[in-house]
Amino acid sequence: MTGTAKRLLLAAAWAALALGPAAAPARAQPAAEIETRRAASELEYERIAKALTLSEERAAGIAAEIAAIRKDHAAVSAALVQAAKTERKLSQEVADIAARLAELHIQEDGLRASLAERRGVLAEVLGALQRMGLNPPPAILVRPEDALSSVRSSILLAAVVPELRGETEILVGDLRELWRIAATIESERTRLLATVESQAEEQRRLSLLLDEKLRLQEKSEAMLAEEKARAAELAAQASSLRELIDALEGEAEMAALKAEEEAASGANPPASG
């Protein structure tokens, strides 16, 4: 209680005493009743003070939880951004591999066509040689120049066959290498597609986690607002009780002064005329 308030209460007490014995009982309360009210107010004040302390502790705990949630939210957001970047990078790699496979398929088609062409020529040459060997022209019917031409053609065809066979074997080897490369690239493409799907699943998981963190943050912030409002209400109640207790203490002081005055008046009765 402030000194000004005490002085005002004491002044009121002296004014009540100055009005005489008849006015004092109507304006003052017994000291025992004042003390009872003060003690009850003290107990209520202590209860509210404890409740206020608990409320403030709860508010501090909720605020710490919100800070942790915000930190987690930031970490999940960063992870989600990184996951999106990784997915885009992997998707681009898959697209590049698909383009590479398309080029290999074009090369394969060219090699197949070239191989088919050489095999066709080789088959024709072999067939011609076989026909010439199985069905030689009769000597009587063959003119010398025709026989000579046939021999020359046979020699030329026989010389072409090894070259065609060599080219065919080279083409077959190229095709096998092409198939090996294509199989390796296709395997890598399959692996990347699985990684892209895994990354997309991770993005979905992170998005759900981010939504959950946001929901928890909103819930905790609402709880914090409620707890702060409760703490403010308890603080107001405590302040009012403190003022009441101070006022009752002032009344107790006035009651004590009055009792002392009455005791002094009883000890010194006025002399009769």
Side-chain angles (χ1 to χ4, degrees), residues 65-77 205-221:
E65 290 178 2
I66 291 174
I69 291 172
R70 286 176 176 169
K71 185 177 179 181
D72 292 344
H73 187 281
V76 173
S77 297
R205 187 188 70 82
L206 289 173
S207 294
L208 291 175
L209 183 58
L210 195 64
D211 292 340
E212 179 64 15
K213 291 295 181 183
L214 183 59
R215 186 187 66 81
L216 286 175
Q217 180 177 332
E218 291 174 351
K219 180 180 178 181
S220 297
E221 287 175 349

Side-chain angles (χ1 to χ4, degrees), residues 237-260:
Q237 292 178 8
S239 178
S240 297
L241 277 173
R242 186 73 266 171
E243 291 177 359
L244 176 60
I245 291 169
D246 290 344
L248 289 172
E249 287 177 351
E251 291 183 14
E253 290 180 7
M254 288 189 294
L257 288 174
K258 179 184 175 183
E260 291 177 1

